[in-house]
Amino acid sequence: PAWSQQKTYPPLVRQHLALTWRGRLSDEGEIASYRMCWTAVLAGLAVLWYLLTMTGLGPGIALATLLSGMMLFLGTTQLLALTGFGSLRAPNSASGMVFDLVGTGNLGPQQMVGLGFSYIWAGDLNLFSMGTGAMGLRVLDLAHLDRPRVAVPTGMVALVASMVACYACYLYFPYRYGGVNASGWFFNGSPGYHWGWIANHLQSGEPTSVVNWLLILLGASLTALVSWLHRGFTWWPVHPAGLAISATQPVRIKWFS
């Protein structure tokens, strides 16, 4: 499949996506047709944007949150594929990025609460379907299946079954035995931390920070420079993935294990 051809250099990626959009590239051997993939992506983004507006976000903030979240999902998935780690945690969250770029004082209580809800799907990314799906695609590629397109319906069945089992367990056991007796982080620490963070920002009302913008531009420039050196010079010892994952908790825990 095309994803296994190591086409991670940005110009090649853009060229590949353009060819799939125009229908000029064969999708034989892929797990789904390119037409189906583009339809699913565009329809999914539209539905997600609409649902974000229903949580109280304005159209622009909803779009910024959605794009930030997708960037984190795609970037973390690529880092998993590049580094070989079994799991990674995203270095930021969609809400945190919007806070840094816009300023909490320009959002208002309604949008702040809406961004708080986005932590459910785009905050503290550690284990997520896109990352495990990339690993599954690698296994499928090595298996050389005669009918690779059975992967999509099979994966959907597994996803729905796992969601039903997860929701049932998360509702039954906390109500039966008490959530405080279960995982301290998922039932106590995480809700208190994230909603407490929202409450603190509501009280502070920070304006747009020029420093935050400069730091983001500095990080992007440094990453682009290290990526260029990594691809252009075989003797360059530093991989750009280290800039994104070096400060995350899984790396600190697992690096010397």
Side-chain angles (χ1 to χ4, degrees), residues 64-75:
T65 304
L66 179 60
L67 294 180
S68 299
M70 292 301 103
M71 182 174 62
L72 290 172
F73 276 112
L74 290 171

Side-chain angles (χ1 to χ4, degrees), residues 204-221:
S204 62
E206 299 174 1
T208 303
S209 174
V210 177
V211 175
N212 289 339
W213 278 90
L214 292 177
L215 289 175
I216 291 175
L217 292 175
L218 175 62
S221 301

Side-chain angles (χ1 to χ4, degrees), residues 27-245:
D27 53 21
E28 183 179 358
E30 301 287 354
I31 64 171
S33 67
Y34 291 137
R35 182 184 298 274
M36 174 185 172
C37 293
W38 277 111
T39 302
V41 167
L42 296 178
L45 290 176
V47 171
L48 285 173
W49 175 83
Y50 173 75
L51 293 176
L52 285 173
T53 61
M54 292 296 98
T55 65
L57 299 181
I61 298 299
L63 181 61
T65 304
L66 179 60
L67 294 180
S68 299
M70 292 301 103
M71 182 174 62
L72 290 172
F73 276 112
L74 290 171
T76 307
T77 300
Q78 185 177 14
L79 288 172
L80 282 169
L82 287 173
T83 61
F85 274 94
S87 65
L88 280 176
R89 179 166 291 162
N92 206 333
S93 65
S95 296
M97 295 179 68
V98 173
F99 288 153
D100 291 339
L101 294 174
V102 179
T104 57
N106 298 321
L107 294 172
Q110 183 175 350
Q111 294 195 113
M112 290 288 291
V113 173
L115 287 172
F117 283 118
S118 71
Y119 276 111
I120 299 171
W121 65 274
D124 197 21
L125 297 182
N126 193 353
L127 297 174
F128 56 103
S129 299
M130 191 179 291
T132 54
M135 299 298 183
L137 287 175
R138 178 58 178 166
V139 174
L140 285 175
D141 185 50
L142 295 175
H144 301 291
L145 297 180
D146 295 331
R147 299 173 58 192
R149 297 199 175 183
V150 301
V152 173
T154 303
M156 294 301 296
V157 171
L159 179 62
V160 172
S162 62
M163 288 176 60
V164 171
C166 178
Y167 291 154
C169 291
Y170 262 75
L171 289 174
Y172 173 76
F173 286 107
Y175 278 98
R176 179 66 177 83
Y177 301 103
V180 294
N181 299 317
S183 171
W185 173 249
F186 291 115
F187 290 95
N188 188 14
S190 179
Y193 173 81
H194 292 114
W195 285 112
W197 192 61
I198 295 294
N200 291 333
H201 280 295
L202 277 172
Q203 295 174 0
S204 62
E206 299 174 1
T208 303
S209 174
V210 177
V211 175
N212 289 339
W213 278 90
L214 292 177
L215 289 175
I216 291 175
L217 292 175
L218 175 62
S221 301
L222 184 59
T223 302
L225 175 61
V226 175
S227 299
W228 177 74
L229 292 171
H230 174 72
R231 297 181 184 278
F233 302 94
T234 57
W235 51 265
W236 179 255
V238 180
H239 197 286
L243 292 172
I245 68 174

